[in-house]
């Protein structure tokens, strides 16, 4: 006997209870020994500093729906959670905390600072995962990782050392994007470019002869960053620029500094930019650096880590870069060397984290040579090459598929990956510098001495690795690579890797397509390549991929389709909205709008609507349970074996039973099909229509007729109706469960009153499509649709005539032979059903068209009701008059469209056919309305 549900649906109580239960019971853990096809998903690890935002909520809702669905379909669905140590973000967070105490990390020292970050992580680090737990994500918590965990750090060291030994990691001077505030190099992806109004300063450089004496000639250069002139080591002009032909081979004297530098000729110089002559500062501009390499120019770095002029800047040393700029411009002007200042729009790079203007700066960094070919298992390969090959060969598929092109074009133009960061928080690079021989020793374990000269004077590299280096390794490292021996402390074995790698699908946002997705493909394909298959055979390319599919989801915008941003103040906090409407309603809102390539305009009104949907489900459960209880009182009990699978009906069952079962099979088939194609929206909307429309509005109303608990009841019929009711309801809960996990769990447990066949509805079977059953019941769908149309038309007519809600009237239906309604033949056997739902005492089938009666027409039938008190001829005449006008307008429009040759030439055949059919039907309705008007009694 089902449990009684509280009268009111209260999501908070239900959700807290089940969220805690799912975690406590560890229901979604998967082991290598289980059964079913593995279906693995990695959570894009949120930053350990993170708080849940709408983007996470969408991402997690989508992953959870897929996981729950595939698990219920019998797959071994494994969702692995974790957090990223997030180098810069976390370091900034802790530094801010220190600043409040009046301390700096430098005062603390590296070791103490790291301890402090770990402490911070212990206190605040798990917040976002706790939020995830509350939202009911079906992850395997026993596999939760943190990218700085020991076993993941082992993988990071292994990967670094291997790449170094393969000659794929090198250290080199390079122009990097430097953030003077974060004091670290940034990858290109961490720099945001913005158009900014600035200036172009024109500076005159005097030409000097071989002895360094000014010849009286000069050359004017244009620059947007005048302070960098302190580091100029040449001036460049285009070799064919006629203006400068006479200066070829000469030199200039650098103003304010006095250094004599050459005029070099280079095709790269644009003759149209500024004066056609450019200053060359190889240490502070990527193009100048490349030019410097071509002309063997010296690199003079004039700035320190903080963006202040260093000793190489002479009298300007110690000044901030912008203070120096002002002073240099003033000094040039005083010296008469400033030719002019022009307005100029600059494309300025900013640090993505702190918004400081990035300074291109020459520094020594560590790189991965992603395009360099080396021998990998006997095949000449490069890291990028492999990552391109697997996508070209469709070993990884993208949805929406346009991202395949985006990915490939980025990969094909990829530069070496700068993997070093000048931070204290992260995986410290496992390389040691020797003070004696200056060489580098790279090792997994801290070496005792230099591997080249055996000197003990070695010190570890101070840089840490780019955060994406460790997260790029996650698909292999979370399954135990490289050790597979469960050490140290991971508990993972080789079987974990064999079972769960490659993972099934990666669900993520576009913003980390290059940061993370591409890096996982590069590193995953590279490092898994020499892990043999479980049977010992070499791993084929198709099995090296970190995931077989990538689903890129869209952005969640506000209701006006604006991007959410703190400055605009339109950010929706998912937790706030969950507290107001319940997780189920918020999840359903997101799902109902989620489809490949379409941004979501999050509208709270919609969530309110889905909260009402949850309420509807709750009330329908209460109705079902009330009837199950009443039946039990007279000894009618539903056989539990009728639950848990696909509902069935036999040809002898009443129409509504056959119909609701057929409808359920159809909706289950369409939901499965939609989810296969990531059409969350179609799946959610199909369930919604079924549950609210078919099940609640129609079926529940009809089934009331069959639930007879009186002395004289046909007990077999009542039991059969009750069985269909309960089995379709139970199966609908399972169908809905991945979308609204909490309310379905609550009601499902109540059905079994403390003795459920599984620990959770999430561990039961997902409704599929049983073709045999659905085709045998298909005819009931047409029959029911026609009955529904009759009822809807009768209801509309009642409304038109102002029949009071509670009053029953008698009614008639006419349908002529040619355009006949099949169901007219069935009307006599559905009197009770039609009577109840349309509130008519009787529906009489007549064989003559109506004359002088109040009627409502459909193209294939007409109904009339007998309601004497309301026959108001003038009103009816007016109503029909309006109806005729409307129909005539429709006909005019159709005629215009069908008479338009241009339209006919372009429109697809089925559209034209549809219009013609509609035109014929409108004509018919018009004829009927005119006949009705003519038959009204004359005044
Ligand atoms: Zn910064
Ligand atoms: Zn040495």
């Amino acid at each position: 006997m089902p449990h009684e549900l509280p009268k009111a649906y209260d999501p908070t109580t239900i959700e807290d209870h089940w969220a805690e239960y799912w975690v406590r019971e560890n229901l979604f853990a998967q082991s290598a020994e289980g059964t079913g096809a593995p279906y693995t998903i990695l959570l894009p690890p949120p930053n350990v500093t993170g708080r849940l935002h709408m983007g996470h909520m969408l991402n997690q809702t989508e992953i959870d729906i897929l996981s729950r669905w595939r698990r219920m379909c019998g797959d071994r669905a494994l969702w692995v959670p974790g957090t990223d140590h997030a180098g810069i973000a976390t370091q900034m967070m802790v530094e801010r905390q220190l600043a409040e105490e009046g301390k700096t990390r430098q005062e603390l020292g590296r070791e103490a600072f790291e301890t402090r970050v770990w402490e911070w992580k212990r206190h605040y680090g798990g917040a976002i995962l706790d939020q995830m737990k509350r939202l009911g994500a079906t992850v395997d918590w026993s596999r939760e990782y943190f990218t700085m965990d020991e076993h993941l750090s082992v993988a990071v060291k292994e990967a670094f050392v291997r790449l170094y030994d393969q000659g794929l990691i090198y250290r080199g001077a390079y122009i990097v994007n430097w953030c003077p505030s974060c004091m670290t190099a940034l990858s290109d992806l961490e720099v945001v470019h913005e158009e900014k109004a600035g200036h172009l300063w024109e500076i005159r450089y005097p030409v000097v002869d071989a002895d360094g004496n000014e010849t009286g000639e000069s050359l004017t250069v244009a620059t947007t960053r005048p302070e960098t002139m302190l580091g100029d080591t040449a001036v460049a002009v285009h070799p064919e620029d006629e203006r400068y032909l006479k200066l070829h081979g000469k030199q200039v004297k650098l103003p304010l500094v006095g250094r004599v530098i050459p005029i070099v000729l280079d095709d790269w110089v644009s003759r149209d930019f500024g004066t056609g002559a450019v200053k060359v500062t190889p240490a502070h501009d990527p193009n100048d650096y490349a030019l410097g390499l071509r002309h063997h120019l010296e690199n003079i770095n004039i700035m320190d880590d903080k963006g202040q002029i260093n000793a190489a800047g002479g009298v300007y040393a110690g000044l901030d870069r912008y203070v120096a700029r002002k002073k240099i411009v003033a000094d040039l002007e005083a010296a008469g060397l400033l030719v002019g200042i022009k307005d100029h729009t600059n494309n300025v790079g900013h640090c993505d984290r702190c918004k400081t203007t990035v300074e291109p700066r020459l520094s020594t960094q560590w790189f991965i040579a992603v395009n360099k070919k080396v021998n990998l298992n006997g095949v000449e390969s490069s890291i990028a090459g492999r990552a391109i090959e697997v996508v070209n060969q469709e070993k990884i598929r993208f949805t929406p598929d346009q991202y395949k092109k985006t990915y490939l074009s980025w990969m094909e133009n990829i530069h070496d990956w700068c993997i070093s960061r000048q931070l204290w928080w992260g995986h410290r690079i496992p390389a040691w510098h020797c003070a004696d021989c200056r060489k580098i020793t790279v090792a997994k374990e801290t070496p005792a001495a230099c591997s080249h000269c055996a000197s003990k004077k070695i010190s570890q590299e101070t840089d840490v690795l780019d955060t994406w280096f460790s997260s790029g390794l996650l698909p292999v490292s979370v399954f135990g690579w490289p050790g597979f021996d469960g050490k140290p402390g991971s508990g993972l074995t080789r079987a974990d890797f064999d079972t769960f790698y490659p993972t099934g699908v990666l669900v993520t946002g576009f913003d980390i397509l290059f940061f993370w997705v591409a890096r996982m493909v590069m590193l995953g394909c590279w490092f898994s390549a020499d892990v043999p298959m479980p049977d010992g055979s070499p791993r084929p390319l198709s099995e090296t991929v970190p995931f077989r599919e990538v689903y890129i989801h869209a952005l969640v915008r506000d209701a006006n389709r604006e991007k959410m941003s703190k400055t605009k103040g339109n950010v929706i906090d998912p937790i706030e909205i969950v507290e107001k409407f319940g997780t189920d309603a918020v999840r359903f809102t997101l799902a109902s709008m989620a489809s490949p390539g379409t941004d979501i305009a999050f509208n709270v009104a919609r969530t309110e609507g889905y909260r009402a949907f949850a309420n509807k489900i709750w009330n329908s459960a209460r109705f079902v349970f009330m009837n199950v209880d009443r039946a039990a009182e007279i000894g009618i009990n539903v056989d539990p074996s009728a639950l848990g699978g696909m509902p069935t009906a036999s040809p002898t069952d009443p129409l509504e039973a056959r119909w609701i079962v057929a409808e359920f099979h159809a909706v289950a088939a369409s939901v499965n099909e939609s989810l296969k194609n990531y059409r969350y929206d179609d799946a959610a909307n199909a369930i919604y229509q079924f549950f609210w429309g078919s099940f609640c509005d129609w079926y529940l109303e009809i089934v009331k007729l069959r639930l007879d608990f009186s002395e004289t009841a046909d007990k077999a019929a009542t039991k059969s109706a009750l069985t269909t009711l309960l089995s379709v309801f139970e199966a609908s809960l399972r169908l809905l469960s991945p979308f609204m996990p909490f309310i379905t769990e609550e009601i499902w447990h109540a059905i079994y009153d403390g003795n459920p066949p599984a620990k959770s509805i999430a561990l039961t079977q997902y409704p599929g499509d049983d073709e045999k059953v659905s085709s045998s019941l298909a005819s009931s769908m047409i029959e029911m649709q026609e009955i529904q149309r009759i009822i809807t038309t009768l209801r509309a007519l009642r409304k038109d005539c102002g029949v009071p809600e509670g009053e029953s009237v008698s009614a008639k239906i006419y349908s002529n032979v040619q355009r006949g309604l099949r169901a007219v033949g069935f009307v006599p056997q559905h009197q009770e059903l039609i009577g109840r739902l349309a509130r008519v005492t009787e529906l009489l089938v007549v064989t003559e068209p109506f004359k002088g009666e109040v009627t409502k027409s459909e193209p294939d039938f007409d109904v009339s009701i007998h309601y004497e008190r309301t026959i108001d001829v003038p009103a009816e005449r007016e109503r029909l008059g309006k109806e005729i006008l409307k129909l005539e307008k429709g006909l005019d429009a159709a005629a215009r469209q069908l008479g338009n040759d241009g339209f006919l030439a372009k429109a697809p055949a089925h559209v034209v056919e549809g219009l013609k059919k509609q035109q014929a039907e409108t004509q018919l309705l018009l004829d009927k309305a005119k006949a009705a008007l003519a038959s009204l009694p004359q005044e």
Side-chain angles (χ1 to χ4, degrees):
M1 192 202 296
H3 223 55
E4 200 175 318
L5 288 173
K7 203 160 182 211
Y9 162 61
D10 172 19
T12 318
T13 331
I14 297 175
E15 294 182 358
D16 283 343
H17 169 74
W18 291 114
E20 194 264 339
Y21 172 83
W22 292 330
V23 175
R24 173 165 36 88
E25 296 288 319
N26 197 22
L27 290 186
F28 308 108
Q30 291 291 7
S31 82
E33 283 79 41
T35 54
Y39 180 76
T40 319
I41 302 185
L42 289 195
L43 171 76
N47 285 351
V48 66
T49 52
R51 284 288 185 277
L52 199 88
H53 56 59
M54 261 310 180
H56 293 127
M57 178 112 192
L58 172 67
N59 180 259
Q60 293 174 12
T61 298
E62 292 187 335
I63 299 178
D64 198 45
I65 289 173
L66 288 180
S67 297
R68 286 176 180 269
W69 169 58
R70 294 296 289 257
R71 191 179 292 113
M72 289 176 80
C73 288
D75 286 350
R76 216 177 331 163
L78 167 66
W79 181 7
V80 184
T83 45
D84 193 288
H85 66 278
I88 298 182
T90 312
Q91 179 160 325
M92 277 173 61
M93 196 78 106
V94 178
E95 284 193 86
R96 220 174 286 151
Q97 212 180 43
L98 285 175
E100 277 165 27
E101 301 163 20
K103 294 184 208 153
T104 67
R105 76 180 150 104
Q106 286 81 2
E107 284 164 25
L108 228 62
R110 185 162 186 152
E111 231 171 273
F113 180 74
E114 280 178 70
T115 311
R116 182 78 193 235
V117 182
W118 278 107
E119 248 169 57
W120 180 93
K121 191 243 167 195
R122 259 189 301 279
H123 276 98
Y124 307 102
I128 193 158
L129 295 185
D130 288 340
Q131 290 178 313
M132 228 181 136
K133 284 176 185 161
R134 169 60 187 80
L135 297 179
T138 57
V139 305
D140 180 350
W141 291 109
S142 68
R143 290 178 185 267
E144 181 190 330
Y145 64 81
F146 175 54
T147 48
M148 295 275 283
D149 279 346
E150 199 180 349
H151 72 282
L152 297 188
S153 302
V154 167
V156 166
K157 282 184 209 158
E158 173 79 24
F160 186 92
V161 173
R162 271 202 210 181
L163 292 174
Y164 188 82
D165 290 345
Q166 288 169 329
L168 294 176
I169 283 186
Y170 64 92
R171 201 165 173 252
Y174 194 70
I175 291 276
V176 292
N177 306 296
W178 185 265
C179 175
S181 170
C182 298
M183 287 208 277
T184 179
L186 304 172
S187 75
D188 288 345
L189 295 167
E190 290 162 319
V191 177
V192 197
H193 288 274
E194 217 179 281
E195 297 270 299
K196 258 194 160 172
H199 300 289
L200 198 59
W201 284 272
E202 294 177 338
I203 309 167
R204 192 155 57 83
Y205 284 20
V207 175
V208 293
D209 61 21
D211 299 324
N213 299 316
E214 293 190 18
T215 63
E217 295 162 299
S218 71
L219 192 150
T220 301
V221 300
T223 177
T224 58
R225 289 150 70 215
E227 67 282 7
T228 60
M229 68 174 291
L230 301 174
D232 284 1
T233 52
V235 168
V237 295
H238 193 279
E240 283 149 31
D241 192 334
E242 292 181 353
R243 290 172 289 181
Y244 300 113
L245 285 177
K246 58 181 189 299
L247 295 181
H248 287 189
K250 296 202 172 157
Q251 313 177 90
V252 293
K253 192 167 164 190
L254 188 60
L256 309 182
V257 179
R259 184 161 59 238
V260 173
I261 55 177
I263 297 170
V264 297
L265 311 178
D266 200 285
D267 288 340
W268 173 81
V269 179
S270 157
R271 277 172 273 186
D272 310 323
F273 177 77
T275 59
V278 292
K279 55 193 274 316
V280 183
T281 326
H284 290 278
D285 181 276
N287 293 315
D288 292 8
Y289 179 69
L291 194 147
L293 285 180
R294 292 196 287 277
H295 298 274
H296 311 287
L297 299 177
E298 197 188 344
N299 302 317
I300 302 177
N301 190 341
I302 55 140
M303 255 178 241
D304 66 10
D305 293 353
K306 293 177 186 153
Q308 292 172 350
I309 307 298
N310 64 19
V315 296
Y316 302 98
L319 297 180
D320 171 81
R321 51 185 170 161
Y322 298 118
V323 177
R325 177 179 294 182
K326 273 194 190 143
K327 191 156 185 341
I328 285 168
V329 170
D331 291 351
L332 285 170
E333 193 166 17
L337 294 169
L338 188 67
V339 179
I341 306 174
K342 288 185 176 149
D343 287 338
H344 183 74
T345 307
N346 274 342
N347 192 9
V348 183
H350 295 91
C351 171
D352 196 17
R353 298 246 155 245
C354 71
K355 311 303 169 207
T356 303
T357 301
V358 161
E359 190 68 36
R361 178 171 178 266
L362 193 68
S363 67
T364 304
Q365 302 288 342
W366 293 82
F367 292 88
I368 298 183
V370 291
N371 293 308
K372 182 176 168 188
K373 281 192 175 172
V374 297
N375 186 314
L376 183 73
N377 304 329
V379 185
E380 284 292 301
S381 322
S382 73
I383 295 174
R386 288 226 150 201
I388 290 169
E389 198 182 351
V390 290
V391 171
N392 271 331
Q393 291 192 21
E394 306 261 300
K395 306 299 181 206
I396 298 176
R397 294 191 320 120
F398 285 85
T399 303
D401 64 0
Q402 85 226 32
Y403 288 113
K404 177 183 175 182
K405 224 177 116 199
T406 316
Y407 169 90
L408 284 175
S409 84
W410 190 73
M411 283 305 302
E412 279 155 7
N413 294 299
I414 192 171
H415 295 292
D416 286 355
W417 173 12
C418 174
I419 49 168
S420 46
R421 293 291 182 274
Q422 290 65 48
L423 302 174
W424 284 0
W425 177 238
H427 297 282
R428 195 160 168 180
I429 289 178
W432 285 261
H433 300 279
C434 176
D436 288 328
C437 73
R438 310 306 252 174
K439 286 185 179 161
I440 290 171
T441 303
V442 165
K444 283 181 258 182
E445 302 299 333
T446 306
C450 170
S451 65
H452 305 281
C453 73
S455 162
K456 297 248 158 64
K457 288 199 307 231
I458 54 169
S459 54
Q460 189 172 359
E461 168 64 57
T462 53
D463 289 357
V464 298
L465 287 163
D466 179 7
T467 306
W468 301 100
F469 185 85
S470 51
S471 51
L473 286 167
L474 286 173
V476 291
S477 61
V478 295
F479 298 119
W481 182 89
F484 301 126
D485 53 1
K487 282 174 193 166
S490 73
L492 295 164
T493 66
R494 177 61 196 276
D496 285 281
F497 190 88
D498 287 345
T499 309
F500 299 113
Y501 192 92
T503 69
V505 60
L506 180 77
V507 180
T508 190
F510 168 74
D511 52 337
I512 52 174
L513 179 61
F514 307 130
F515 271 130
W516 193 45
V517 181
R519 266 80 183 259
M520 280 192 286
V521 180
M522 289 196 277
L523 299 181
C525 291
W526 196 256
F527 290 113
S528 67
D530 55 9
V531 179
M533 295 301 288
D535 64 2
S537 60
R539 183 165 292 263
L541 191 69
S542 60
E543 300 305 302
T544 64
V545 296
F547 27 76
R548 301 191 193 281
E549 291 193 34
V550 179
Y551 175 70
I552 302 282
H553 59 67
L555 277 181
V556 184
R557 295 170 179 272
D558 76 0
N560 301 318
R561 304 210 153 268
E562 299 252 358
K563 213 170 163 174
M564 293 189 197
S565 84
K566 276 190 195 141
T567 41
K568 272 189 246 164
N570 62 345
V571 177
I572 301 172
D573 177 357
I575 297 298
E576 246 171 55
I577 200 134
V578 155
E579 278 167 3
K580 198 160 168 206
F581 299 105
T583 311
D584 282 338
V586 182
R587 282 173 65 116
F588 207 86
T589 310
L590 291 168
S592 73
M593 291 189 277
S595 75
T598 316
D599 282 351
I600 289 175
F602 194 92
N603 193 335
V604 176
R606 247 180 118 134
T607 312
E608 231 175 306
Y610 292 128
R611 162 71 202 248
F613 177 47
N615 229 18
K616 187 91 179 168
I617 295 163
W618 188 263
N619 291 336
S620 65
R622 285 176 48 83
F623 170 82
V624 173
F625 292 174
M626 179 189 78
N627 283 289
V628 170
D629 288 349
R630 285 181 63 194
E633 281 167 21
I634 59 160
I636 299 174
N637 288 297
V638 173
D639 185 352
S641 70
L643 308 182
M646 286 300 278
T648 57
S650 79
T652 53
D653 282 335
L655 173 63
E656 80 281 353
R658 286 177 284 130
W659 165 74
I660 197 69
V661 169
E663 281 269 300
F664 182 79
H665 282 253
V667 74
S670 95
V671 168
N672 280 288
E673 190 55 32
S674 298
L675 287 179
K676 273 180 208 153
N677 299 309
Y678 304 101
R679 290 303 302 258
Y680 300 93
D681 55 342
D682 287 348
N685 295 327
I687 295 175
Y688 179 88
Q689 295 301 340
F690 170 80
F691 219 123
W692 193 308
S694 302
F695 186 79
C696 293
D697 285 353
W698 288 97
Y699 175 72
L700 289 187
E701 290 308 310
I702 300 169
V703 83
K704 283 175 186 166
L705 292 169
R706 319 290 180 205
L707 298 171
D708 183 354
F709 305 114
S710 65
E711 290 286 309
T712 56
D714 174 349
K715 283 196 173 179
T718 303
K719 180 172 176 174
S720 167
L722 196 69
T723 303
T724 307
L725 169 65
L726 193 59
S727 70
V728 173
F729 182 64
E730 189 270 348
S732 305
L733 292 175
R734 281 182 281 126
L735 189 69
L736 177 65
S737 168
F739 300 84
M740 288 192 159
F742 292 100
I743 188 173
T744 51
E745 185 84 296
E746 176 80 14
I747 299 173
W748 182 83
H749 278 266
I751 289 179
Y752 294 99
D753 195 20
N755 194 18
K759 279 192 157 181
S760 165
I761 189 173
L763 302 176
T764 61
Q765 198 192 338
Y766 202 65
D769 175 34
D770 181 345
E771 256 177 54
K772 260 202 327 242
V773 175
S774 51
S775 62
S776 80
L777 298 173
S779 66
S780 66
M781 291 175 77
I782 299 166
E783 191 175 335
M784 185 66 190
Q785 273 165 18
E786 296 193 341
I787 298 285
Q788 285 173 323
R789 285 181 51 223
I790 294 172
I791 292 167
T792 318
T793 313
L794 282 168
R795 283 177 180 166
L797 181 58
R798 286 176 55 106
K799 208 174 160 211
D800 285 351
C801 299
V803 182
E805 277 276 313
E807 197 163 325
S808 282
V809 290
S810 68
K812 288 187 276 190
I813 181 165
Y814 167 77
S815 179
N816 73 11
V817 185
Q818 288 91 28
R819 306 183 60 87
L821 187 71
R822 252 172 32 112
V824 164
F826 303 124
V827 164
Q829 69 198 76
H830 297 310
Q831 283 298 343
E832 202 186 359
L833 193 166
I834 297 168
R836 182 182 171 91
L837 271 74
R839 289 202 183 279
V840 293
T841 48
E842 184 194 20
L843 180 63
L844 193 67
V845 180
V846 295
T847 50
E848 288 296 319
F850 296 118
K851 272 203 180 94
E853 284 155 283
V854 180
T855 64
K856 190 147 190 88
S857 297
E858 283 289 305
D860 47 357
F861 67 91
D862 313 298
V863 290
S864 97
I865 56 168
H866 184 68
Y867 187 60
E868 286 191 345
R869 273 164 291 175
T870 60
I871 295 186
D872 174 349
V873 175
E876 183 61 7
R877 183 168 287 131
E878 194 190 329
R879 184 182 76 81
L880 284 166
K882 277 188 194 158
E883 177 80 9
I884 289 168
L885 257 168
K886 197 181 88 188
L887 292 167
E888 281 173 345
K889 265 191 194 164
L891 272 183
D892 281 353
R896 260 199 311 280
Q897 211 161 8
L898 288 168
N900 180 343
D901 292 339
F903 167 77
L904 291 177
K906 268 190 245 153
H910 74 271
V911 171
V912 177
E913 274 316 299
L915 269 172
K916 283 185 179 162
K917 189 169 168 243
Q918 202 185 4
Q919 186 187 32
E921 285 178 1
T922 313
Q923 183 62 52
L924 202 70
L925 289 174
L926 179 64
D927 295 345
K928 286 182 180 191
K930 282 181 174 165
L933 184 66
S935 68
L936 283 178
Q938 298 300 313
E939 276 158 296

